[in-house]
Amino acid sequence: MNTLTPVQQKFILHWGEMGTRWGINRTVAQIHALLYLSPKALNAEEIAETLTVARSNVSSSLKELQGWGIVKLVHVLGDKRDHFESMKDVWEMFRVVLDERKKREIDPTLTMLRECLIELEDEKAKDTYTGERIHAMRDFFETTTAWYQQIRTWPTNAVVPFVKLGDKVLRVLGIGGG
Amino acid sequence: MNTLTPVQQKFILHWGEMGTRWGINRTVAQIHALLYLSPKALNAEEIAETLTVARSNVSSSLKELQGWGIVKLVHVLGDKRDHFESMKDVWEMFRVVLDERKKREIDPTLTMLRECLIELEDEKAKDTYTGERIHAMRDFFETTTAWYQQIRTWPTNAVVPFVKLGDKVLRVLGIGGG
DNA sequence: AGGACATTTCTGTGAATACTGAAATTACAG
DNA sequence: CTGTAATTTCAGTATTCACAGAAATGTCCT
């Protein structure tokens, strides 16, 4: 896997671009893509060569990917170097990333919003509009995170039938205005 | 609204940080936050002063926000300057942003994945592992986008009862392994 | 303990991005 | 038309971010 097929290149390059759009370092995303496509665990040297990036850069990128929890260190018999492999189950992978982003970004935002509301209590009268808007925002995040908690563990095979139900869902559940 | 209260500052600053984490320019996000909190439409001058950024910067940021579809230009009687206001319904706002990100990022990714699979048909035999992985990825994106199409129009008041149902959901719907 | 190899941390450099202020353009009133 | 205010575009500057290479640390073997 030292030279990439055109298709592998295409995938890895696109994944890198996707990364940047969602606040993930391009190289980090590319390394992840490479490991995702690789049938065997790769060592840092191989990754650096294949993607032509500096060895040190690979090191820190791998650390970050491990921090996200979608790449892990493994050992290969008869080779003392560290090897790395990506999680392969796409559903699980995205669940892990979403969990992590929730922890890093959504939860702190909720904390911030709650703090704002507490601080506003004192000066309630003079600036109700801000309070209103922040209140609405907090409600949104609270509801959607609860929602996410609900569906994050759905088995893969639940989603397809769910989609198939289409408009019927809300009626069957007897909720919403549907 | 030329000087900000501590709470408003806190919110706007945090929103700016959130932006950067999700690939949105900090200033763009801050301007959006400011408009979201503002009870009345603001002109570019006011925004520039309040956030102490250059007038030209405000101009391009507003253009981007309009591109996302969450800020719109309005006119105030007796004032020929352009004024801007943010969408206020948080649910609607996030729906619009998600729709846009789907269009800009997810749909092209799906296209890329499909192209990869077409290109792989020819060389099917020699590199099935890559095909397998890309196939799994395409399935994931196809299923989740269909899922999103499904729920994106759920009325706000459908989500709360949905969450309340908890584990029962899958059983009631008779799907999944739950 | 010593030496070879592997890995991580650190620092300077280069590239990309964001931002400002000036200039150009546009819109509008008289 | 002319003058004024508003807006956008542009070009230079600054800041941030990504990266390579060197140095330091760690690991394993003998």
Side-chain angles (χ1 to χ4, degrees), chain A residues 143 170 174-178, chain B residues 91 153-164:
Chain A
T143 306
L170 293 184
I175 60 178
Chain B
W91 284 88
T153 53
W154 276 23
T156 310
N157 63 7
V159 179
V160 175
F162 177 82
V163 172
K164 289 238 176 78

Side-chain angles (χ1 to χ4, degrees), chain A residues 26 44 55-56 59-60 63 80-83:
Chain A
R26 178 180 283 109
R55 177 68 188 72
S56 56
S59 175
S60 55
K63 230 179 152 186
K80 67 177 177 177
R81 290 171 299 181
D82 292 349
H83 287 63

Side-chain angles (χ1 to χ4, degrees), chain B residues 44 55-56 59 63 80-82:
Chain B
R55 176 69 188 72
S56 56
S59 176
K63 232 180 152 184
K80 67 176 177 176
R81 290 171 299 180
D82 293 349

Side-chain angles (χ1 to χ4, degrees), chain B residues 98-115:
Chain B
L98 283 179
D99 280 358
E100 194 64 27
R101 295 209 90 147
K102 174 178 179 299
K103 200 177 80 189
R104 295 185 192 187
E105 291 143 21
I106 308 300
D107 291 349
T109 298
L110 254 169
T111 302
M112 179 276 292
L113 292 169
R114 290 189 189 117
E115 286 169 4

Side-chain angles (χ1 to χ4, degrees), chain B residues 135-152:
Chain B
H135 192 89
M137 189 66 84
R138 191 211 46 186
D139 282 356
F140 172 80
F141 276 103
E142 265 177 2
T143 306
T144 47
T145 51
W147 193 7
Y148 174 66
Q149 286 303 341
Q150 169 96 356
I151 60 175
R152 63 185 278 287

Side-chain angles (χ1 to χ4, degrees), chain A residues 67-149:
Chain A
W68 282 99
I70 55 176
V71 160
K72 70 171 189 224
L73 192 154
V74 294
H75 285 285
V76 172
L77 249 71
D79 192 335
K80 67 177 177 177
R81 290 171 299 181
D82 292 349
H83 287 63
F84 301 88
E85 64 181 20
S86 167
M87 196 176 273
K88 298 295 185 175
D89 181 328
V90 190
W91 284 88
E92 181 67 1
M93 208 157 73
F94 275 88
R95 194 189 60 67
V96 167
V97 170
L98 284 179
D99 280 358
E100 193 64 26
R101 294 210 90 147
K102 174 177 178 301
K103 200 178 80 186
R104 295 186 193 187
E105 291 143 22
I106 308 299
D107 291 350
T109 298
L110 254 169
T111 302
M112 180 275 293
L113 292 169
R114 290 189 189 118
E115 286 170 3
C116 281
L117 289 175
I118 288 168
E119 288 164 33
L120 277 175
E121 284 309 326
D122 311 331
E123 34 175 335
K124 197 187 301 189
K126 67 174 164 181
D127 197 349
T128 61
Y129 191 83
T130 298
E132 220 178 273
R133 297 268 55 78
I134 292 179
H135 192 90
M137 189 66 83
R138 190 210 47 185
D139 282 357
F140 172 80
F141 276 104
E142 266 178 1
T143 306
T144 47
T145 51
W147 194 6
Y148 173 66
Q149 287 303 343

Side-chain angles (χ1 to χ4, degrees), chain B residues 12-117:
Chain B
I12 290 168
L13 257 32
H14 186 100
W15 208 240
E17 289 312 310
M18 275 288 276
T20 62
R21 298 244 181 180
W22 293 86
I24 309 281
N25 177 287
R26 179 180 282 110
T27 307
V28 170
Q30 285 182 353
I31 292 176
H32 172 247
L34 173 63
L35 291 175
Y36 174 73
L37 289 185
S38 174
K40 67 180 197 354
L42 303 176
N43 63 53
E45 197 66 30
E46 291 174 300
I47 297 169
E49 275 175 33
T50 309
L51 300 178
T52 51
V53 292
R55 176 69 188 72
S56 56
N57 199 5
V58 172
S59 176
S60 55
S61 297
L62 283 170
K63 232 180 152 184
E64 178 150 4
L65 283 168
Q66 286 172 278
W68 282 98
I70 54 175
V71 161
K72 70 173 191 225
L73 192 155
V74 295
H75 285 285
V76 171
L77 250 71
D79 193 335
K80 67 176 177 176
R81 290 171 299 180
D82 293 349
H83 286 63
F84 300 88
E85 66 181 18
S86 167
M87 196 176 271
K88 299 294 185 175
D89 180 329
V90 192
W91 284 88
E92 181 68 1
M93 208 158 73
F94 275 89
R95 195 188 59 66
V96 166
V97 170
L98 283 179
D99 280 358
E100 194 64 27
R101 295 209 90 147
K102 174 178 179 299
K103 200 177 80 189
R104 295 185 192 187
E105 291 143 21
I106 308 300
D107 291 349
T109 298
L110 254 169
T111 302
M112 179 276 292
L113 292 169
R114 290 189 189 117
E115 286 169 4
C116 281
L117 290 175

